[in-house]
Amino acid sequence: MVVAMKSHERRKILIDRMEELAGQGQDCQNCAGTCCTFEANSMMVTPLEAWEIFEFLKSSDLIDQNLKEKIFKTIKEFRLDQSTGNGKRSFIRRTYTCPFFHHRELGCALPKEVKPYGCLAFNAHHETIKAKEFCYSEKKLLMERDELFSKQEEMENERVKNQYKIYWDKLPLPVALVDFFNADDQQSN
Ligand code: SF4
Ligand code: SF4
């Protein structure tokens, strides 16, 4: 599938680094996955990143009432969709437990090819200690990736925004997905 190929291409530099670290024994084995919970996770995504996850879920037939309820519950519990009061969608960054996290080691339900860039860049940097000071995001690598694909992604983001009538640039992942679910429901009615 072209989309999957493109999405993998744009993540390759991050996935390669993750595999390099894993080859040195610096991976997420034996960790409860704190970085995916409200203790550390505040992931926000662009329309393109959210669309890639939405497309993956849709093509894998994974969008059902259970998933939607889990996502709505997350939004409510962590107050992710707060209005700024000026008529625009809020961009407040809040922590939340990701609805795709299974609460166990290596517990992300999404494949690497569609995971948010920020999730892929956040890695363990120690063989045995899985704690804050040894798990972090390599900002330089994220910036390198951004630079490589900025032009292409600008166009792709515009395409997605036009197609789904989206007016934001970044939202918490659960809130972003609801816009795609709603637009898809409207298009199929
Ligand atoms: S990055 Fe660190 S906290 Fe997150 S799952 Fe891996 S080892 Fe655990
Ligand atoms: S998308 Fe996956 S890796 Fe990212 S926060 Fe959610 S469960 Fe964790």
Side-chain angles (χ1 to χ4, degrees):
M1 193 167 126
V2 180
V3 171
M5 212 176 81
K6 274 196 195 169
S7 70
H8 183 269
E9 233 171 68
R10 282 188 268 100
R11 286 164 176 75
K12 189 174 183 309
I13 190 172
L14 304 175
I15 294 172
D16 285 352
R17 175 61 177 151
M18 183 191 277
E19 285 170 359
E20 185 188 1
L21 287 167
Q24 296 162 9
Q26 298 173 16
D27 58 27
C28 301
Q29 303 279 353
N30 303 317
C31 177
T34 319
C35 62
C36 298
T37 73
F38 70 92
E39 287 180 54
N41 172 52
S42 60
M43 190 53 56
M44 294 177 83
V45 291
T46 60
L48 177 60
E49 287 171 283
W51 174 74
E52 286 169 340
I53 293 172
F54 166 72
E55 281 291 303
F56 160 74
L57 295 170
K58 196 173 169 183
S59 61
S60 311
D61 213 10
L62 290 172
I63 303 176
D64 58 15
Q65 207 45 39
N66 275 347
L67 177 68
K68 287 185 179 175
E69 273 168 21
K70 203 171 175 190
I71 286 174
F72 288 135
K73 203 172 149 225
T74 304
I75 293 171
K76 196 168 171 213
E77 185 178 353
F78 297 99
R79 298 184 297 134
L80 298 180
D81 194 15
Q82 294 244 308
S83 165
T84 51
N86 61 2
K88 291 185 181 166
R89 300 297 293 278
S90 165
F91 297 137
I92 297 170
R93 185 179 274 272
R94 290 182 191 278
T95 58
Y96 63 93
T97 298
C98 182
F100 295 104
F101 181 55
H102 286 323
H103 297 272
R104 56 174 160 76
E105 142 187 281
L106 306 176
C108 177
L110 300 176
K112 289 181 197 142
E113 290 70 26
V114 299
K115 268 191 217 208
Y117 307 133
C119 297
L120 290 171
F122 196 92
N123 288 304
H125 292 268
H126 193 282
E127 289 175 28
T128 50
I129 307 175
K130 315 292 179 189
K132 244 184 201 167
E133 57 271 42
F134 293 109
C135 294
Y136 54 85
S137 193
E138 289 178 283
K139 305 274 184 234
K140 210 172 142 209
L141 195 64
L142 273 172
M143 278 163 65
E144 205 181 308
R145 195 217 68 81
D146 286 352
E147 273 168 30
L148 278 172
F149 295 101
S150 63
K151 284 231 152 47
Q152 182 191 332
E153 289 190 353
E154 202 178 309
M155 286 191 304
E156 291 279 298
N157 269 309
E158 279 312 303
R159 176 187 62 74
V160 171
K161 284 163 90 170
N162 287 334
Q163 185 180 348
Y164 287 89
K165 310 221 174 337
I166 278 169
Y167 304 102
W168 45 265
D169 294 316
K170 263 197 167 184
L171 280 181
L173 174 57
V175 185
L177 282 176
V178 168
D179 276 6
F180 287 90
F181 294 158
N182 289 342
D184 191 51
D185 285 347
Q186 277 171 16
Q187 281 170 12
S188 44
N189 281 337

